[in-house]
mmCIF file of all heavy atoms in Angstrom:
data_model
loop_
_atom_site.group_PDB
_atom_site.id
_atom_site.type_symbol
_atom_site.label_atom_id
_atom_site.label_comp_id
_atom_site.label_asym_id
_atom_site.label_seq_id
_atom_site.Cartn_x
_atom_site.Cartn_y
_atom_site.Cartn_z
ATOM 1 N N PHE E 22 132.180 156.173 149.889
ATOM 2 C CA PHE E 22 131.260 157.216 150.323
ATOM 3 C C PHE E 22 131.806 158.563 149.867
ATOM 4 O O PHE E 22 132.933 158.917 150.160
ATOM 5 C CB PHE E 22 131.134 157.190 151.843
ATOM 6 C CG PHE E 22 130.234 158.274 152.388
ATOM 7 C CD1 PHE E 22 128.871 158.108 152.356
ATOM 8 C CD2 PHE E 22 130.768 159.439 152.895
ATOM 9 C CE1 PHE E 22 128.043 159.107 152.848
ATOM 10 C CE2 PHE E 22 129.952 160.439 153.374
ATOM 11 C CZ PHE E 22 128.570 160.280 153.358
ATOM 12 N N PRO E 58 102.474 159.287 145.189
ATOM 13 C CA PRO E 58 102.948 158.613 143.981
ATOM 14 C C PRO E 58 104.282 159.129 143.505
ATOM 15 O O PRO E 58 105.007 158.465 142.807
ATOM 16 C CB PRO E 58 101.847 158.922 142.944
ATOM 17 C CG PRO E 58 101.159 160.158 143.457
ATOM 18 C CD PRO E 58 101.248 160.056 144.957
ATOM 19 N N ILE E 102 111.299 152.130 149.013
ATOM 20 C CA ILE E 102 109.854 152.275 148.865
ATOM 21 C C ILE E 102 109.370 151.653 147.556
ATOM 22 O O ILE E 102 108.287 151.093 147.480
ATOM 23 C CB ILE E 102 109.452 153.772 148.932
ATOM 24 C CG1 ILE E 102 107.934 153.929 149.015
ATOM 25 C CG2 ILE E 102 110.014 154.545 147.748
ATOM 26 C CD1 ILE E 102 107.341 153.396 150.276
ATOM 27 N N TYR E 106 106.621 148.824 147.533
ATOM 28 C CA TYR E 106 105.390 149.362 146.974
ATOM 29 C C TYR E 106 105.655 149.812 145.531
ATOM 30 O O TYR E 106 105.620 150.993 145.220
ATOM 31 C CB TYR E 106 104.903 150.534 147.829
ATOM 32 C CG TYR E 106 103.525 151.053 147.467
ATOM 33 C CD1 TYR E 106 102.469 150.186 147.247
ATOM 34 C CD2 TYR E 106 103.305 152.425 147.349
ATOM 35 C CE1 TYR E 106 101.208 150.664 146.925
ATOM 36 C CE2 TYR E 106 102.056 152.917 147.015
ATOM 37 C CZ TYR E 106 101.000 152.024 146.809
ATOM 38 O OH TYR E 106 99.760 152.505 146.482
ATOM 39 N N VAL E 152 87.475 137.620 124.857
ATOM 40 C CA VAL E 152 87.554 136.359 124.119
ATOM 41 C C VAL E 152 88.759 135.545 124.575
ATOM 42 O O VAL E 152 88.679 134.322 124.755
ATOM 43 C CB VAL E 152 87.635 136.625 122.598
ATOM 44 C CG1 VAL E 152 87.851 135.309 121.841
ATOM 45 C CG2 VAL E 152 86.372 137.313 122.116
ATOM 46 N N GLU E 163 103.990 153.610 120.010
ATOM 47 C CA GLU E 163 104.483 152.601 119.073
ATOM 48 C C GLU E 163 105.456 153.195 118.060
ATOM 49 O O GLU E 163 106.376 152.515 117.593
ATOM 50 C CB GLU E 163 103.309 151.955 118.345
ATOM 51 C CG GLU E 163 103.697 150.783 117.461
ATOM 52 C CD GLU E 163 102.502 150.082 116.860
ATOM 53 O OE1 GLU E 163 101.379 150.581 117.029
ATOM 54 O OE2 GLU E 163 102.699 149.033 116.225
ATOM 55 N N GLU E 167 110.628 154.078 122.782
ATOM 56 C CA GLU E 167 110.245 153.437 124.033
ATOM 57 C C GLU E 167 108.781 153.003 123.951
ATOM 58 O O GLU E 167 107.882 153.834 123.779
ATOM 59 C CB GLU E 167 110.455 154.399 125.207
ATOM 60 C CG GLU E 167 111.906 154.814 125.368
ATOM 61 C CD GLU E 167 112.126 155.734 126.555
ATOM 62 O OE1 GLU E 167 111.172 156.405 126.981
ATOM 63 O OE2 GLU E 167 113.256 155.764 127.072
ATOM 64 N N LEU E 205 135.169 142.142 129.675
ATOM 65 C CA LEU E 205 134.595 141.422 128.536
ATOM 66 C C LEU E 205 135.388 141.695 127.263
ATOM 67 O O LEU E 205 135.668 140.779 126.484
ATOM 68 C CB LEU E 205 133.136 141.829 128.337
ATOM 69 C CG LEU E 205 132.138 141.337 129.394
ATOM 70 C CD1 LEU E 205 130.752 141.913 129.143
ATOM 71 C CD2 LEU E 205 132.074 139.808 129.415
ATOM 72 N N THR E 212 140.450 146.107 122.773
ATOM 73 C CA THR E 212 140.891 147.239 123.583
ATOM 74 C C THR E 212 139.870 147.535 124.676
ATOM 75 O O THR E 212 138.707 147.833 124.377
ATOM 76 C CB THR E 212 141.050 148.500 122.704
ATOM 77 O OG1 THR E 212 141.929 148.189 121.619
ATOM 78 C CG2 THR E 212 141.620 149.645 123.508
ATOM 79 N N LYS E 216 134.528 153.085 124.580
ATOM 80 C CA LYS E 216 133.519 153.752 125.392
ATOM 81 C C LYS E 216 132.108 153.488 124.852
ATOM 82 O O LYS E 216 131.910 153.386 123.641
ATOM 83 C CB LYS E 216 133.772 155.260 125.417
ATOM 84 C CG LYS E 216 135.146 155.656 125.935
ATOM 85 C CD LYS E 216 135.345 155.209 127.381
ATOM 86 C CE LYS E 216 136.706 155.649 127.903
ATOM 87 N NZ LYS E 216 136.952 155.139 129.284
ATOM 88 N N ASP E 278 147.826 134.193 106.232
ATOM 89 C CA ASP E 278 146.893 133.346 105.495
ATOM 90 C C ASP E 278 145.832 134.194 104.805
ATOM 91 O O ASP E 278 145.454 133.934 103.652
ATOM 92 C CB ASP E 278 146.241 132.358 106.467
ATOM 93 C CG ASP E 278 145.308 131.403 105.760
ATOM 94 O OD1 ASP E 278 145.797 130.474 105.102
ATOM 95 O OD2 ASP E 278 144.069 131.603 105.860
ATOM 96 N N ALA E 390 117.488 129.315 91.481
ATOM 97 C CA ALA E 390 116.768 130.400 90.822
ATOM 98 C C ALA E 390 116.348 131.489 91.795
ATOM 99 O O ALA E 390 116.062 132.622 91.394
ATOM 100 C CB ALA E 390 115.533 129.849 90.099
ATOM 101 N N PHE E 398 129.053 124.696 95.086
ATOM 102 C CA PHE E 398 129.794 123.530 94.611
ATOM 103 C C PHE E 398 129.896 122.571 95.786
ATOM 104 O O PHE E 398 130.416 122.924 96.846
ATOM 105 C CB PHE E 398 131.196 123.929 94.134
ATOM 106 C CG PHE E 398 131.214 124.662 92.823
ATOM 107 C CD1 PHE E 398 131.123 126.039 92.781
ATOM 108 C CD2 PHE E 398 131.316 123.961 91.622
ATOM 109 C CE1 PHE E 398 131.150 126.723 91.576
ATOM 110 C CE2 PHE E 398 131.343 124.635 90.411
ATOM 111 C CZ PHE E 398 131.261 126.016 90.386
#
Side-chain angles (χ1 to χ4, degrees):
F22 178 80
I102 190 66
Y106 188 46
V152 175
E163 187 174 7
E167 299 182 336
L205 289 175
T212 305
K216 302 298 182 184
D278 183 76
F398 287 90

